[in-house]
Amino acid sequence: MAWAGGRELGENDLRIDTERQRATPEGVTLGLRVAGPFARGLAWLFDLMLILVALFVVLLAASFLGNFGAGLAMVLIFLVYWGYPVAFEVLRRGATPGKTILGLEVVHDDGTPVGPRASVLRNLLRFADFLPFAWGFGLMSMLLSGSFQRLGDLAAGTVVVYRNSAGTDLPDLPNETPIPPPVGLDRQEQRALIDYATRVPTWTGERAVELADLVVPLTGAEGTQGVRKLVGMAAWLIGRRGTSA
């Protein structure tokens, strides 16, 4: 399997945990240190323990509600088991508690933060990864994919990497208050926005403003205020939160 640009995997790519180079359409190279089956398996075991504890609490509470509790328990069990990974991946920068402990996170295969659609898809396909038993298909897919992607990852276009590895080849973004984009952005748009923010320090103020003014409908501001908003959105996309330093 080729990771980018048709490059075939070499001997160094067959290590259990290794780095992949991803060239974006904007000419930015991302270093993604992908996580192998062992680290991901440990993270999954920890998450499974938390899920089992949550399910025990649900069943215990439902036992006091009779027949109504039985029906409610079925709904809550579904929500807990399937909603647990999606909620954490979308709201906690691509990391469940198990992944956080192991220093892992889920990102799109171009290094941008995982979105709700991709998270739902990769987790709904866990049942296929489990077949025929004991994560057989999932493990086989991870070993053959070259980037340790299980079937859900391949379908969703995601990869599990070591936290802080995605985007480590990018220069630091200027300090600016992170703000969420007002509309949903696809992966290429996110990448372009991050690329703009990383290049702002190398341009003249006039050039930065000229480009920012092209997307006034996105920022709702012109001039230097538009530049600041674009940089703030880029900061949000790479995971910064709170006020700038």
Side-chain angles (χ1 to χ4, degrees), residues 182 185 192-193 196 208-222 226-227 229-230 233:
L185 303 175
L193 185 54
Y196 170 86
V209 167
E210 178 185 359
L211 294 176
D213 284 348
L214 296 176
V215 290
V216 169
L218 175 66
T219 61
E222 297 181 349
V227 174
K229 284 196 172 184
L230 284 180
M233 292 177 196

Side-chain angles (χ1 to χ4, degrees), residues 175-191:
N175 285 329
E176 193 58 66
T177 302
I179 55 175
V183 296
L185 303 175
D186 62 31
R187 282 180 284 172
Q188 184 170 341
E189 290 168 338
Q190 292 180 38
R191 189 70 263 147

